[in-house]
Amino acid sequence: MLRDPFTRCCAAAFFSLIFFAAPVAAEEDDRDRRIRELEERLDGLELELLQVQAMTDDVDEDEGPLEEKRFSGAARSLQVLNPEISFSGDVVAQYLVGPDGKEYHGDERSGFQFREFGVHFQSNLDPYSMTKIAFAFSEKEVALEEAFMTWAPLLEGFSLTAGYFRQQLGVLNRWHPDALDQADHPLMLTVPFGEEGLVQTGLSAHLRLPPLWSHSLELVLEVTNSSNEAVLAGDFFSIPSTLAHVTNYWDLSPDTYLELGLTGLFGANNRRGLPEDEGGLRDEGFRMTAMGGADLTLNWEPLNQAKYRGVTWRTEFLYIRKELPGAERIDWFGGYSYVEAKANQSWILGVRGDLVQPFEVQNATDLEWQVVPYVTWWQSEFVRLRLEYRYHQPHIGDMDHKVLLQLTFAAGPHKHEKY
């Protein structure tokens, strides 16, 4: 036992030093270890920095910054050179009531008709040009609808098209049948030119002009073969026809626009190199064909609701003068007008009226007309159904009635194009 007070104090101090010095020593050892680790990391970072600087010094300043280079094989990417392919179908169920009350009239019959299956090809040939080709397959024939190549733009606001194309005669002649707002082209196009409208081979130049009197001004000039046999020379042509179409566009308000087009065409309908019975060839005397027309489109679509509401009024008229052998000629007039309204995103209601003369001599008092109300339902951008009624009065004979249920569908990148 430690009885001396001094001895007890010394013992107490000794034991306190032991208990308190041990944690302090451990803490100092941990701090030294962390300092050594930080120093080692700092040395490593300095070494990496020196390596980066050495690599940078080896690069010539004139060569600019380093660029990443990637190497890849394109052996399996040749499919990008394939054209874009689209398909369209046009199926109709119709019920016809002829002038005599029977369900047929002339060549037309009631029943189902697969009117057309379209195959459309489109491809960018190079950075300066593209091509479009369209075929129409029906139960009776295969027909070439269009095949042309376009350079765009050759110059600012200028493009050139060469090939076989639907001409810019007004608005609707340019549209394919599956893109129409009704089941068929109006009588203004089918009576003088035939069921396909005016489609010829040649050159078409599109030029955007300065907006002199309208918000947008465009000019289309087309020089084509006079191959339409009803209005022009047909197969035995040699003098091309020239068409000019001017489009004027105005924004009347944020919701409304007005478009006015003027069309003129001049060509020849006399046949050259016509075979004779004796085996020779002869040329007919020059005979002129001239056309003049106008088209007007007024469209209202409320801002931010264009998919759900809107009204479109479109009208066209066309005058044709065709000189015939001798002193005879055909003076013909025709036109149409229609209005359609969007009830919502899917439903469209409309009505079209057609009024034309027969394309023949002495037709001043003869008129053919029809009224076509219709309802269109867009199931999607790929599928469309239309119910249409036609009240038709020919220039000769009694009226006839027709009810059509039309189904059009499309597959591919181009859906019922209006171009």
Side-chain angles (χ1 to χ4, degrees), residues 141-159:
E141 63 177 356
V142 178
L144 177 65
E145 287 192 319
E146 286 190 292
F148 59 84
M149 173 182 171
T150 298
W151 290 269
L154 290 176
L155 300 172
E156 181 65 26
F158 174 73
S159 62

Side-chain angles (χ1 to χ4, degrees), residues 220-272:
V220 175
L221 290 173
E222 297 178 345
V223 178
T224 58
N225 295 331
S226 301
S227 57
N228 185 276
E229 60 182 11
V231 178
L232 297 167
D235 294 335
F236 298 97
F237 60 85
S238 62
I239 300 176
S241 60
T242 303
L243 180 146
H245 182 270
V246 179
T247 302
N248 307 271
Y249 176 92
W250 292 271
D251 277 320
L252 303 183
S253 73
D255 303 329
T256 309
Y257 75 80
L258 174 67
E259 188 176 84
L260 173 64
L262 301 174
T263 306
L265 184 147
F266 181 83
N269 66 76
N270 58 299
R271 297 173 295 177
R272 298 175 61 83

Side-chain angles (χ1 to χ4, degrees), residues 74-86:
R76 297 185 179 181
S77 302
L78 294 178
Q79 61 267 24
V80 300
L81 299 177
N82 294 335
E84 299 175 352
I85 304 176
S86 301

Side-chain angles (χ1 to χ4, degrees), residues 7-285:
T7 304
R8 287 198 299 269
C9 290
C10 291
F14 176 76
F15 285 112
S16 298
L17 180 61
I18 292 175
F19 285 116
F20 287 101
V24 170
E27 183 177 352
E28 289 179 351
D29 292 341
D30 184 62
R31 184 173 61 251
D32 292 341
R33 180 180 56 81
R34 285 185 290 176
I35 290 174
R36 287 194 300 270
E37 291 178 354
L38 291 174
E39 289 176 348
E40 291 175 357
R41 293 178 60 185
L42 181 60
D43 292 340
L45 291 175
E46 290 178 349
L47 180 60
E48 292 180 3
L49 179 60
L50 291 174
Q51 292 175 347
V52 172
Q53 290 177 347
M55 295 174 62
T56 306
D57 293 340
D58 293 338
V59 179
D60 189 353
E61 294 181 357
D62 296 336
E63 295 180 359
L66 294 175
E67 296 182 358
E68 182 181 2
K69 183 177 293 186
R70 296 183 179 182
F71 299 90
S72 61
R76 297 185 179 181
S77 302
L78 294 178
Q79 61 267 24
V80 300
L81 299 177
N82 294 335
E84 299 175 352
I85 304 176
S86 301
F87 304 95
S88 63
D90 186 353
V91 183
V92 167
Q94 70 175 17
Y95 180 72
L96 172 67
V97 179
D100 54 1
K102 297 182 179 180
E103 67 279 4
Y104 57 86
H105 178 58
D107 296 334
E108 290 195 273
R109 297 289 185 271
S110 299
F112 294 96
Q113 298 179 4
F114 194 92
R115 301 203 304 178
E116 182 179 289
F117 177 72
V119 181
H120 306 262
F121 301 89
Q122 179 172 321
S123 179
N124 293 319
L125 301 175
D126 51 42
Y128 315 101
S129 59
M130 56 85 65
T131 184
K132 287 187 177 182
I133 304 172
F135 292 94
F137 297 80
S138 66
E139 296 178 351
K140 298 181 179 179
E141 63 177 356
V142 178
L144 177 65
E145 287 192 319
E146 286 190 292
F148 59 84
M149 173 182 171
T150 298
W151 290 269
L154 290 176
L155 300 172
E156 181 65 26
F158 174 73
S159 62
L160 183 65
T161 296
Y164 180 69
F165 51 85
R166 306 186 66 89
Q167 293 196 247
Q168 194 67 63
L169 183 69
V171 177
L172 294 191
N173 185 75
R174 191 71 189 90
W175 296 4
H176 286 228
D178 64 305
L180 293 171
D181 293 327
Q182 301 86 35
D184 292 296
H185 283 97
L187 297 177
M188 185 198 78
L189 297 174
T190 59
V191 168
F193 304 109
E195 292 298 324
E196 299 301 322
L198 186 60
V199 191
Q200 300 189 120
T201 302
L203 296 174
S204 176
H206 182 277
L207 181 62
R208 187 173 68 248
L209 301 174
L212 301 177
W213 52 77
S214 59
H215 295 154
S216 177
L217 185 61
E218 296 181 354
L219 172 64
V220 175
L221 290 173
E222 297 178 345
V223 178
T224 58
N225 295 331
S226 301
S227 57
N228 185 276
E229 60 182 11
V231 178
L232 297 167
D235 294 335
F236 298 97
F237 60 85
S238 62
I239 300 176
S241 60
T242 303
L243 180 146
H245 182 270
V246 179
T247 302
N248 307 271
Y249 176 92
W250 292 271
D251 277 320
L252 303 183
S253 73
D255 303 329
T256 309
Y257 75 80
L258 174 67
E259 188 176 84
L260 173 64
L262 301 174
T263 306
L265 184 147
F266 181 83
N269 66 76
N270 58 299
R271 297 173 295 177
R272 298 175 61 83
L274 187 65
E276 293 184 317
D277 296 336
E278 295 80 6
L281 300 176
R282 67 181 178 88
D283 297 338
E284 295 181 337

